[in-house]
Amino acid sequence: MWDLAKELGKRIREIRKLKRISQEALALMCRVDRSYMGRIERGEVNLTIEKLYQIAESLGCEPAALLPTDRKN
């Protein structure tokens, strides 16, 4: 089964690393605890739309850029 939360977290991590932003710095920009940001990136939590937009803004991208593009069954 496709796990959207894991794929979304993986995409957030990829973009964060491409932008050379630490997990701690991104967490501070999004006003969340670093451990919570780690859980997001590991796909352990389901994000709200509001938090998705906040992360995208902090990464300087559109929210759609964070969404996985290929669905795996």
Coordinates of all heavy atoms in Angstrom, one line a residue:
M1 N 0.8 -1.2 0.0 CA 0.0 0.0 0.0 C 0.9 1.3 0.0 O 1.9 1.3 0.6 CB -0.9 0.0 1.2 CG -1.9 1.1 1.2 SD -3.1 0.8 2.5 CE -3.8 2.4 2.7
W2 N 0.4 2.3 -0.7 CA 1.2 3.5 -0.8 C 1.0 4.3 0.5 O -0.1 4.6 1.0 CB 0.6 4.3 -2.0 CG 1.4 5.5 -2.4 CD1 2.7 5.5 -2.7 CD2 0.9 6.8 -2.7 NE1 3.1 6.8 -3.1 CE2 2.0 7.6 -3.1 CE3 -0.3 7.4 -2.6 CZ2 1.9 8.9 -3.4 CZ3 -0.5 8.7 -2.9 CH2 0.6 9.5 -3.3
D3 N 2.2 4.8 1.0 CA 2.1 5.5 2.2 C 2.5 7.0 1.9 O 3.6 7.4 1.8 CB 3.1 4.9 3.2 CG 3.0 5.5 4.6 OD1 2.4 6.6 4.8 OD2 3.4 4.8 5.6
L4 N 1.4 7.8 1.8 CA 1.6 9.2 1.4 C 2.4 10.0 2.4 O 3.3 10.8 2.0 CB 0.2 9.9 1.3 CG 0.2 11.3 0.9 CD1 0.9 11.6 -0.4 CD2 -1.2 11.9 0.8
A5 N 2.2 9.7 3.7 CA 3.0 10.4 4.7 C 4.5 10.2 4.6 O 5.3 11.1 4.7 CB 2.5 10.1 6.1
K6 N 4.9 9.0 4.3 CA 6.3 8.6 4.2 C 6.9 9.3 2.9 O 8.0 9.8 2.9 CB 6.5 7.1 4.1 CG 6.4 6.5 5.5 CD 6.8 5.1 5.5 CE 6.7 4.6 6.9 NZ 7.3 3.3 7.2
E7 N 6.1 9.2 1.8 CA 6.6 9.8 0.6 C 6.7 11.3 0.7 O 7.6 12.0 0.2 CB 5.7 9.4 -0.6 CG 5.7 7.9 -0.9 CD 7.1 7.5 -1.4 OE1 7.8 8.2 -2.1 OE2 7.5 6.4 -0.9
L8 N 5.7 11.9 1.4 CA 5.8 13.4 1.6 C 7.0 13.8 2.4 O 7.7 14.7 2.1 CB 4.5 13.8 2.2 CG 4.3 15.3 2.6 CD1 4.4 16.2 1.4 CD2 3.0 15.6 3.3
G9 N 7.2 13.0 3.5 CA 8.3 13.3 4.4 C 9.6 13.2 3.6 O 10.6 14.0 3.8
K10 N 9.7 12.1 2.8 CA 11.0 11.9 2.0 C 11.2 13.1 1.1 O 12.3 13.6 0.9 CB 10.8 10.6 1.2 CG 12.0 10.2 0.4 CD 11.7 8.9 -0.3 CE 12.7 8.6 -1.3 NZ 12.4 7.4 -2.1
R11 N 10.1 13.6 0.5 CA 10.2 14.8 -0.4 C 10.7 16.0 0.3 O 11.5 16.8 -0.2 CB 8.9 15.0 -1.1 CG 8.9 16.0 -2.2 CD 9.6 15.4 -3.5 NE 9.6 16.5 -4.5 CZ 10.7 16.9 -5.0 NH1 11.9 16.4 -4.7 NH2 10.7 17.9 -5.9
I12 N 10.1 16.2 1.5 CA 10.5 17.4 2.3 C 12.0 17.3 2.6 O 12.7 18.3 2.5 CB 9.6 17.5 3.6 CG1 8.2 17.8 3.2 CG2 10.2 18.5 4.6 CD1 7.2 17.7 4.4
R13 N 12.4 16.1 3.0 CA 13.9 16.0 3.4 C 14.7 16.2 2.2 O 15.8 16.9 2.3 CB 14.1 14.6 3.9 CG 15.6 14.3 4.2 CD 15.8 12.9 4.8 NE 15.4 12.8 6.1 CZ 14.6 11.8 6.6 NH1 14.3 10.8 5.9 NH2 14.3 11.8 7.9
E14 N 14.3 15.7 1.0 CA 15.1 15.9 -0.2 C 15.3 17.4 -0.5 O 16.4 17.9 -0.8 CB 14.5 15.2 -1.4 CG 14.6 13.7 -1.4 CD 13.7 13.1 -2.5 OE1 13.0 13.8 -3.3 OE2 13.8 11.9 -2.6
I15 N 14.2 18.1 -0.5 CA 14.2 19.6 -0.8 C 15.0 20.3 0.2 O 15.8 21.2 -0.1 CB 12.8 20.1 -1.0 CG1 12.2 19.5 -2.3 CG2 12.8 21.7 -1.1 CD1 10.8 19.9 -2.6
R16 N 14.8 20.0 1.5 CA 15.5 20.6 2.6 C 17.0 20.5 2.4 O 17.8 21.4 2.5 CB 15.1 20.1 3.9 CG 15.9 20.6 5.1 CD 15.5 20.0 6.4 NE 15.7 18.6 6.6 CZ 16.8 18.0 6.8 NH1 18.0 18.7 6.8 NH2 16.9 16.7 6.9
K17 N 17.5 19.3 2.0 CA 18.9 19.0 1.8 C 19.4 19.7 0.6 O 20.5 20.2 0.6 CB 19.2 17.5 1.8 CG 19.0 16.9 3.1 CD 19.4 15.4 3.1 CE 19.4 14.8 4.5 NZ 20.0 13.5 4.5
L18 N 18.6 19.8 -0.5 CA 19.0 20.5 -1.7 C 19.2 22.0 -1.4 O 20.1 22.6 -1.9 CB 18.0 20.4 -2.8 CG 18.0 19.1 -3.6 CD1 16.7 19.0 -4.5 CD2 19.2 18.9 -4.4
K19 N 18.4 22.5 -0.5 CA 18.5 23.9 -0.1 C 19.6 24.2 1.0 O 19.8 25.3 1.5 CB 17.2 24.5 0.3 CG 16.1 24.3 -0.7 CD 15.6 25.6 -1.2 CE 14.5 25.3 -2.2 NZ 14.2 26.5 -2.9
R20 N 20.2 23.1 1.4 CA 21.2 23.1 2.5 C 20.7 23.8 3.8 O 21.4 24.6 4.4 CB 22.5 23.8 2.0 CG 23.2 23.1 0.9 CD 24.4 23.8 0.4 NE 25.0 23.0 -0.7 CZ 26.2 22.6 -0.7 NH1 27.0 22.9 0.3 NH2 26.7 21.9 -1.7
I21 N 19.5 23.3 4.2 CA 18.9 23.8 5.4 C 18.9 22.6 6.4 O 18.5 21.5 6.0 CB 17.5 24.3 5.2 CG1 17.4 25.4 4.2 CG2 16.8 24.6 6.5 CD1 16.0 25.8 3.7
S22 N 19.4 22.9 7.6 CA 19.4 21.8 8.6 C 18.0 21.5 9.0 O 17.1 22.4 8.9 CB 20.3 22.2 9.8 OG 19.6 23.2 10.5
Q23 N 17.8 20.3 9.6 CA 16.5 20.0 10.1 C 16.1 20.9 11.2 O 15.0 21.3 11.4 CB 16.5 18.5 10.6 CG 15.1 18.0 10.9 CD 15.2 16.5 11.3 OE1 15.6 16.2 12.4 NE2 14.8 15.6 10.5
E24 N 17.1 21.2 12.1 CA 16.8 22.1 13.2 C 16.4 23.5 12.7 O 15.5 24.1 13.2 CB 18.0 22.2 14.1 CG 17.8 23.1 15.3 CD 19.0 23.0 16.3 OE1 20.0 22.4 16.0 OE2 18.9 23.7 17.3
A25 N 17.1 24.0 11.7 CA 16.8 25.4 11.1 C 15.4 25.4 10.5 O 14.6 26.3 10.7 CB 17.8 25.8 10.1
L26 N 15.0 24.3 9.8 CA 13.7 24.2 9.2 C 12.6 24.2 10.3 O 11.6 24.8 10.2 CB 13.5 23.0 8.3 CG 12.2 22.8 7.6 CD1 11.8 24.1 6.8 CD2 12.2 21.6 6.8
A27 N 12.9 23.4 11.4 CA 12.0 23.3 12.5 C 11.7 24.7 13.1 O 10.6 25.1 13.4 CB 12.5 22.3 13.5
L28 N 12.8 25.4 13.3 CA 12.7 26.8 13.9 C 11.9 27.7 12.9 O 11.0 28.5 13.4 CB 14.1 27.4 14.1 CG 14.9 26.8 15.3 CD1 16.3 27.4 15.2 CD2 14.2 27.2 16.6
M29 N 12.1 27.6 11.6 CA 11.3 28.5 10.7 C 9.9 28.1 10.7 O 9.0 29.0 10.5 CB 11.9 28.3 9.3 CG 13.2 28.9 9.0 SD 13.7 28.8 7.3 CE 14.5 27.3 7.2
C30 N 9.5 26.8 11.0 CA 8.2 26.4 11.0 C 7.5 26.4 12.4 O 6.4 26.0 12.6 CB 8.1 25.0 10.4 SG 8.6 24.8 8.7
R31 N 8.3 26.8 13.3 CA 7.9 26.9 14.7 C 7.4 25.6 15.3 O 6.3 25.5 15.9 CB 6.8 28.0 14.9 CG 7.3 29.4 14.6 CD 6.3 30.5 14.8 NE 5.2 30.3 13.9 CZ 5.0 30.9 12.7 NH1 6.0 31.7 12.3 NH2 4.0 30.6 11.9
V32 N 8.2 24.5 15.0 CA 7.9 23.2 15.6 C 9.2 22.7 16.2 O 10.3 23.2 15.9 CB 7.4 22.2 14.5 CG1 6.1 22.7 13.9 CG2 8.4 21.9 13.5
D33 N 9.1 21.7 17.1 CA 10.2 21.1 17.7 C 11.0 20.3 16.6 O 10.4 19.7 15.7 CB 9.7 20.2 18.8 CG 10.9 19.7 19.6 OD1 11.4 20.4 20.5 OD2 11.3 18.5 19.4
R34 N 12.3 20.3 16.8 CA 13.2 19.5 15.8 C 12.8 18.0 15.8 O 12.7 17.4 14.7 CB 14.6 19.6 16.2 CG 15.5 19.1 15.1 CD 16.8 18.4 15.6 NE 16.7 17.5 16.7 CZ 16.3 16.2 16.6 NH1 16.0 15.7 15.5 NH2 16.2 15.5 17.7
S35 N 12.4 17.5 16.9 CA 12.0 16.1 16.9 C 10.7 15.8 16.1 O 10.5 14.8 15.5 CB 11.9 15.5 18.3 OG 10.8 16.2 19.0
Y36 N 9.8 16.8 16.2 CA 8.6 16.7 15.4 C 8.9 16.8 13.9 O 8.3 16.1 13.1 CB 7.6 17.8 15.8 CG 6.3 17.7 15.1 CD1 5.4 16.7 15.4 CD2 5.9 18.7 14.2 CE1 4.1 16.6 14.8 CE2 4.7 18.6 13.5 CZ 3.8 17.6 13.9 OH 2.6 17.4 13.2
M37 N 9.8 17.7 13.5 CA 10.2 17.8 12.1 C 10.8 16.4 11.7 O 10.6 16.0 10.6 CB 11.2 18.9 11.9 CG 11.6 19.2 10.5 SD 10.2 19.6 9.4 CE 9.7 21.1 10.0
G38 N 11.6 15.8 12.5 CA 12.1 14.5 12.2 C 11.0 13.5 12.0 O 11.1 12.7 11.0
R39 N 10.0 13.5 12.8 CA 8.8 12.6 12.6 C 8.1 12.9 11.3 O 7.6 12.0 10.7 CB 7.9 12.8 13.8 CG 8.5 12.2 15.1 CD 7.6 12.3 16.3 NE 6.3 11.6 16.1 CZ 5.1 12.0 16.5 NH1 5.0 13.1 17.1 NH2 4.1 11.2 16.2
I40 N 8.0 14.2 10.9 CA 7.4 14.5 9.7 C 8.2 13.9 8.5 O 7.6 13.3 7.6 CB 7.3 16.1 9.5 CG1 6.3 16.7 10.5 CG2 7.0 16.4 8.0 CD1 6.3 18.2 10.5
E41 N 9.5 14.1 8.6 CA 10.4 13.6 7.5 C 10.4 12.1 7.4 O 10.6 11.5 6.4 CB 11.8 14.1 7.6 CG 11.9 15.6 7.3 CD 13.3 16.1 7.3 OE1 14.2 15.4 7.6 OE2 13.5 17.3 7.0
R42 N 10.1 11.4 8.5 CA 10.1 9.9 8.5 C 8.7 9.4 8.2 O 8.5 8.2 8.1 CB 10.5 9.4 9.9 CG 12.0 9.6 10.2 CD 12.4 8.8 11.4 NE 11.7 9.2 12.6 CZ 12.1 10.3 13.4 NH1 13.1 11.0 13.1 NH2 11.4 10.6 14.5
G43 N 7.7 10.3 8.0 CA 6.4 9.9 7.7 C 5.6 9.4 8.8 O 4.7 8.6 8.6
E44 N 5.9 9.8 10.0 CA 5.3 9.2 11.2 C 4.0 10.1 11.6 O 3.3 9.7 12.5 CB 6.3 9.2 12.4 CG 7.4 8.2 12.1 CD 8.5 8.2 13.2 OE1 8.4 9.0 14.1 OE2 9.4 7.4 13.1
V45 N 3.9 11.2 11.0 CA 2.7 12.1 11.3 C 2.0 12.5 10.0 O 2.6 12.5 9.0 CB 3.1 13.3 12.1 CG1 3.7 13.0 13.5 CG2 4.1 14.2 11.3
N46 N 0.7 12.7 10.1 CA 0.0 13.3 9.0 C -0.1 14.8 9.1 O -0.6 15.3 10.2 CB -1.4 12.7 9.0 CG -1.4 11.2 8.6 OD1 -0.8 10.9 7.6 ND2 -2.1 10.4 9.3
L47 N 0.4 15.5 8.1 CA 0.4 16.9 8.2 C -1.0 17.5 7.9 O -1.7 17.0 7.1 CB 1.4 17.5 7.1 CG 2.8 17.2 7.3 CD1 3.6 17.8 6.1 CD2 3.3 17.8 8.6
T48 N -1.2 18.7 8.5 CA -2.4 19.5 8.1 C -2.0 20.3 6.9 O -0.8 20.5 6.6 CB -2.7 20.5 9.2 OG1 -1.7 21.4 9.4 CG2 -3.1 19.7 10.5
I49 N -3.0 20.7 6.2 CA -2.7 21.6 5.0 C -2.0 22.8 5.4 O -1.0 23.3 4.7 CB -4.0 21.9 4.3 CG1 -4.7 20.7 3.7 CG2 -3.8 22.9 3.2 CD1 -3.9 19.9 2.7
E50 N -2.3 23.4 6.5 CA -1.7 24.6 7.0 C -0.2 24.3 7.3 O 0.6 25.2 6.9 CB -2.4 25.0 8.4 CG -1.8 26.3 8.9 CD -2.5 26.7 10.2 OE1 -3.5 26.1 10.6 OE2 -2.0 27.7 10.8
K51 N 0.2 23.2 7.9 CA 1.6 22.9 8.1 C 2.3 22.6 6.8 O 3.5 23.0 6.7 CB 1.7 21.7 9.1 CG 3.1 21.5 9.6 CD 3.7 22.6 10.3 CE 3.0 23.0 11.6 NZ 3.6 24.2 12.3
L52 N 1.7 22.0 5.9 CA 2.3 21.8 4.6 C 2.6 23.1 3.9 O 3.7 23.3 3.4 CB 1.3 21.0 3.7 CG 1.8 20.7 2.2 CD1 3.0 19.8 2.2 CD2 0.7 20.2 1.4
Y53 N 1.7 24.1 3.9 CA 2.0 25.4 3.4 C 3.1 26.1 4.1 O 3.9 26.8 3.5 CB 0.7 26.2 3.4 CG -0.1 26.0 2.1 CD1 -0.9 24.9 1.9 CD2 -0.1 27.0 1.1 CE1 -1.6 24.7 0.8 CE2 -0.9 26.8 0.0 CZ -1.6 25.7 -0.2 OH -2.4 25.5 -1.4
Q54 N 3.1 26.0 5.4 CA 4.2 26.6 6.2 C 5.5 26.0 5.9 O 6.5 26.8 5.8 CB 3.9 26.4 7.7 CG 4.7 27.2 8.6 CD 4.2 27.0 10.1 OE1 3.8 26.0 10.5 NE2 4.4 28.1 10.9
I55 N 5.6 24.7 5.7 CA 6.9 24.1 5.4 C 7.3 24.5 4.0 O 8.5 24.9 3.8 CB 6.8 22.5 5.5 CG1 6.7 22.1 7.0 CG2 8.0 21.9 4.9 CD1 6.3 20.7 7.1
A56 N 6.4 24.5 3.1 CA 6.7 25.0 1.7 C 7.2 26.4 1.7 O 8.2 26.7 1.0 CB 5.5 24.8 0.8
E57 N 6.6 27.3 2.4 CA 7.0 28.7 2.4 C 8.4 28.8 3.0 O 9.3 29.5 2.5 CB 6.0 29.5 3.3 CG 6.4 31.0 3.3 CD 5.4 31.8 4.1 OE1 4.2 31.4 4.2 OE2 5.8 32.8 4.7
S58 N 8.7 28.0 4.1 CA 10.0 28.0 4.7 C 11.1 27.5 3.8 O 12.2 27.9 3.8 CB 10.0 27.2 6.0 OG 9.1 27.8 6.9
L59 N 10.7 26.6 2.9 CA 11.6 26.0 1.9 C 11.7 26.8 0.6 O 12.5 26.5 -0.2 CB 11.3 24.5 1.6 CG 11.5 23.5 2.7 CD1 10.9 22.2 2.3 CD2 13.0 23.4 3.1
G60 N 10.8 27.8 0.5 CA 10.9 28.7 -0.7 C 10.3 28.0 -1.9 O 10.9 28.2 -3.0
C61 N 9.3 27.1 -1.7 CA 8.7 26.4 -2.9 C 7.2 26.4 -2.7 O 6.7 26.8 -1.7 CB 9.3 25.0 -3.0 SG 8.9 23.9 -1.6
E62 N 6.6 26.0 -3.8 CA 5.1 25.8 -3.8 C 4.8 24.5 -3.0 O 5.6 23.5 -3.1 CB 4.6 25.7 -5.2 CG 4.7 27.0 -6.0 CD 3.8 28.1 -5.4 OE1 2.7 27.8 -5.0 OE2 4.3 29.2 -5.3
P63 N 3.7 24.4 -2.3 CA 3.3 23.2 -1.6 C 3.2 22.0 -2.6 O 3.6 20.9 -2.2 CB 1.9 23.5 -1.1 CG 1.9 25.0 -0.9 CD 2.7 25.5 -2.1
A64 N 2.8 22.2 -3.8 CA 2.7 21.1 -4.8 C 4.1 20.4 -5.0 O 4.2 19.3 -5.3 CB 2.1 21.6 -6.1
A65 N 5.2 21.2 -4.9 CA 6.5 20.7 -5.1 C 6.9 19.7 -4.0 O 7.8 18.8 -4.2 CB 7.5 21.8 -5.1
L66 N 6.2 19.7 -2.9 CA 6.5 18.7 -1.8 C 5.7 17.4 -2.0 O 6.0 16.4 -1.3 CB 6.1 19.4 -0.4 CG 6.9 20.6 -0.1 CD1 6.3 21.2 1.3 CD2 8.3 20.4 0.0
L67 N 4.7 17.5 -2.8 CA 3.9 16.3 -3.0 C 4.6 15.2 -3.9 O 5.2 15.6 -4.9 CB 2.5 16.6 -3.6 CG 1.7 17.6 -2.7 CD1 0.4 17.9 -3.5 CD2 1.3 17.0 -1.4
P68 N 4.5 14.0 -3.5 CA 5.1 12.9 -4.3 C 4.4 12.9 -5.7 O 3.2 13.1 -5.8 CB 4.9 11.6 -3.5 CG 4.0 12.0 -2.4 CD 3.9 13.4 -2.3
T69 N 5.2 12.6 -6.7 CA 4.6 12.6 -8.1 C 4.3 11.2 -8.6 O 3.4 11.1 -9.4 CB 5.6 13.3 -9.0 OG1 6.9 12.6 -9.0 CG2 5.8 14.7 -8.7
D70 N 4.9 10.2 -8.1 CA 4.6 8.9 -8.6 C 4.1 8.0 -7.5 O 4.7 7.9 -6.5 CB 5.8 8.2 -9.3 CG 7.0 8.1 -8.5 OD1 7.1 8.9 -7.5 OD2 7.9 7.3 -8.7
R71 N 2.9 7.4 -7.8 CA 2.3 6.6 -6.8 C 2.7 5.1 -7.0 O 2.6 4.6 -8.1 CB 0.8 6.7 -6.9 CG 0.0 6.0 -5.9 CD -1.4 6.3 -6.0 NE -2.1 5.6 -4.9 CZ -3.3 5.8 -4.5 NH1 -4.0 6.8 -5.1 NH2 -3.9 5.1 -3.5
K72 N 3.2 4.5 -5.9 CA 3.6 3.2 -5.9 C 2.7 2.3 -5.2 O 2.3 2.6 -4.1 CB 5.0 3.0 -5.3 CG 6.1 3.9 -6.0 CD 7.3 3.9 -5.2 CE 8.3 4.9 -5.8 NZ 9.3 5.4 -4.9
N73 N 2.3 1.2 -5.7 CA 1.3 0.3 -5.1 C 2.1 -0.8 -4.4 O 3.1 -1.2 -4.7 CB 0.4 -0.3 -6.1 CG -0.6 0.7 -6.6 OD1 -1.0 1.6 -5.8 ND2 -1.0 0.6 -7.8

